[in-house]
Amino acid sequence: MRGSMAEIASDLPERRRIEALYELHGREITARLYADCCDRELAQEAAQEAFLKLQGRIDAVREPIAWLIRAGRNWIRDQFRSRRRFADAPMDGDAIIDEVDGPLETVMASETRKQIAMALRQMSVEDRQALVMRFALDWPSARIAAALGTTASAVDMRISRAKSRLAGLLETMGVEGNVA
Amino acid sequence: MSLETNANRPEEREIEELLRTYFATEIPKRLPPLPPPGSRSPAGASARPRRRLTAAEWIAYSALAATVALVLAAHFTNAPSRLVPVGASIAAGSAPEALPFDDDADSCENDGLLASVELRDLEYSVFERRDPIRTSRFVTDEGEFEQRTLVRWKVYSIYEPRTGERVQWSTPMVSVTVLPFTATAVPANR
């Protein structure tokens, strides 16, 4: 999060700076937006829209990462306000299953992936944020704490409880141990 | 939460493994390339419905439509039906500049419009530009008259810092002044 612009040479053309920022933080932005919407395509699209919006104002934005996340969240919010988008959202996980192919099917049964998606949607955004940062971005607790504005111990507690809650949700869905 | 231990319940390590595998597919390490500026993001762009208008845009477009309707209504109701337009050859030169244009006659500031816009978190600005004054002359039973028409445009700009969106619209305001015209008042060289 911090020093994101300092890592990019300021004498580069704006487009190159945005691309460099996208390379450095695009996945982080996508992951954090994913925690909001639980929709891979929507999160990717929102992240790209946010970076495109940065064009022409990169020098005016003080905290580009925070700005990008806000812009992406607002874009997602607008999309969900649209009835059609809302209706198309893969709330039952079917769209996720359809996209699974290749060796991943041998690693994780599509039914399990569907159930994980459904379970994540039943959890709070804060829990999903913490889980995404830990298990998708591999962030240490201190970095997650800085991003969420809390302490590392609180993050550890939140992740522990979130995992427990997820296990309970999966159990109610019939997912048992040794699923992976 | 039950305190009982359930042998079927996924263990913590299994949950972590599940999540890592799941997120690896949902949030891949390799991102799609950033589309060029001016284009839309490729993911889902074709299937995405049109963006719905924001509240500010709705208000702006509604205000613009209402203003245009008012201008048209005013134009048709105030048309000088009794007056007969005279060609440009009737009087050489421009209108008597000594006669001041009643610039304050139109005091429409659109305060009502701005008050209805949610401006708590928005930055907005208003500036004005004017079109050149158009003149027409008429001959009536009571003499010659000149009609001056001034169109002023108020350009409103609202910036929403949260989304980085800027909405801009303009509203025309028409001022029509009819003045008695005397050719003798115009200098010969004009």
Side-chain angles (χ1 to χ4, degrees):
Chain A
M1 286 280 290
R2 277 169 287 180
S4 55
M5 291 305 290
E7 302 165 63
I8 301 168
S10 60
D11 57 345
L12 286 173
E14 185 182 48
R15 172 65 185 179
R16 280 294 305 130
R17 291 164 67 192
I18 291 175
E19 285 175 348
L21 197 63
Y22 182 69
E23 278 183 29
L24 279 173
H25 298 285
R27 188 164 182 267
E28 172 193 338
I29 303 291
T30 305
R32 296 186 64 175
L33 293 174
Y34 178 87
D36 287 340
C37 65
C38 282
D39 183 329
R40 177 176 62 184
E41 181 186 315
L42 193 64
Q44 281 186 358
E45 202 175 350
Q48 292 195 342
E49 290 285 346
F51 276 95
L52 289 176
K53 277 185 182 175
L54 195 58
Q55 187 87 29
R57 52 174 71 96
I58 190 169
D59 290 323
V61 175
R62 288 182 183 175
E63 298 284 344
I65 304 302
W67 188 94
L68 287 164
I69 291 172
R70 277 201 307 274
R73 281 178 179 159
N74 288 334
W75 189 87
I76 289 172
R77 182 198 59 200
D78 289 344
Q79 294 301 303
F80 272 85
R81 282 178 178 168
S82 158
R83 286 178 181 273
R84 182 172 168 225
R85 182 79 208 197
F86 194 77
D88 288 347
M91 295 304 288
D92 58 359
D94 288 341
I96 296 169
I97 291 171
D98 292 340
E99 293 166 10
V100 174
D101 54 6
L104 279 174
E105 283 183 334
T106 63
V107 177
M108 180 185 293
S110 60
E111 187 64 22
T112 304
R113 299 187 71 242
K114 176 181 178 180
Q115 287 161 329
I116 292 175
M118 292 176 69
L120 284 173
R121 288 193 178 101
Q122 293 179 45
M123 300 175 73
S124 68
V125 174
E126 292 78 12
D127 283 353
R128 286 201 301 263
Q129 289 279 5
L131 292 176
V132 162
M133 289 179 197
R134 169 60 53 84
F135 297 108
L137 300 175
D138 286 324
W139 282 7
S141 299
R143 189 172 180 187
I144 299 173
L148 296 180
T150 183
T151 63
S153 58
V155 166
D156 290 337
M157 180 74 74
R158 177 174 289 279
I159 290 175
S160 176
R161 287 178 176 169
K163 285 190 295 187
S164 176
R165 174 132 199 272
L166 181 63
L169 288 168
L170 291 176
E171 184 186 10
T172 60
M173 295 174 185
V175 179
E176 299 179 349
N178 302 315
V179 288
Chain B
M1 184 179 295
S2 171
L3 296 176
E4 295 177 7
T5 303
N6 190 333
N8 292 329
R9 184 171 182 161
E11 292 180 1
E12 187 171 316
R13 186 171 298 278
E14 289 173 328
I15 288 292
E16 291 182 2
E17 188 62 30
L18 275 176
L19 285 171
R20 287 188 199 283
T21 311
Y22 177 79
F23 286 139
T25 58
E26 288 297 290
I27 310 164
K29 287 193 185 303
R30 179 169 294 181
L31 291 174
L34 196 61
S39 66
R40 311 301 295 180
S41 60
S46 58
R48 195 177 62 215
R50 290 181 62 187
R51 184 176 67 86
R52 300 181 76 188
L53 294 176
T54 62
E57 287 169 329
W58 271 115
I59 292 170
Y61 289 133
S62 302
L64 179 60
T67 306
V68 169
L70 283 173
V71 167
L72 289 175
H75 175 74
F76 286 113
T77 54
N78 296 332
S81 56
R82 289 180 56 247
L83 303 180
V84 180
V86 180
S89 59
I90 284 193
S94 64
E97 292 181 352
L99 294 172
F101 188 83
D102 188 5
D103 204 18
D104 295 329
D106 178 15
S107 59
C108 175
E109 296 295 334
N110 275 340
D111 287 335
L113 166 65
L114 280 179
S116 67
V117 179
E118 190 73 26
L119 291 175
R120 281 177 304 183
D121 299 329
L122 304 176
E123 300 169 16
Y124 73 99
S125 62
V126 183
F127 64 91
E128 183 180 283
R129 67 176 174 83
R130 301 178 177 200
D131 288 350
I133 297 174
R134 287 178 296 173
T135 60
S136 305
R137 299 199 185 95
F138 303 91
V139 175
T140 70
D141 295 341
E142 298 171 351
E144 292 182 27
F145 290 87
E146 180 175 275
Q147 175 180 303
R148 298 181 182 184
T149 306
L150 169 65
V151 180
R152 294 187 297 180
W153 295 86
K154 282 205 170 179
V155 182
Y156 297 82
S157 180
I158 291 184
Y159 177 66
E160 188 177 9
R162 288 177 305 169
T163 61
E165 288 182 341
R166 182 178 296 281
V167 179
Q168 197 171 67
W169 74 95
S170 55
T171 56
M173 285 164 287
V174 181
S175 300
V176 179
T177 305
V178 179
L179 301 166
F181 182 83
T182 53
T184 55
V186 181
N189 61 346
R190 305 187 95 192

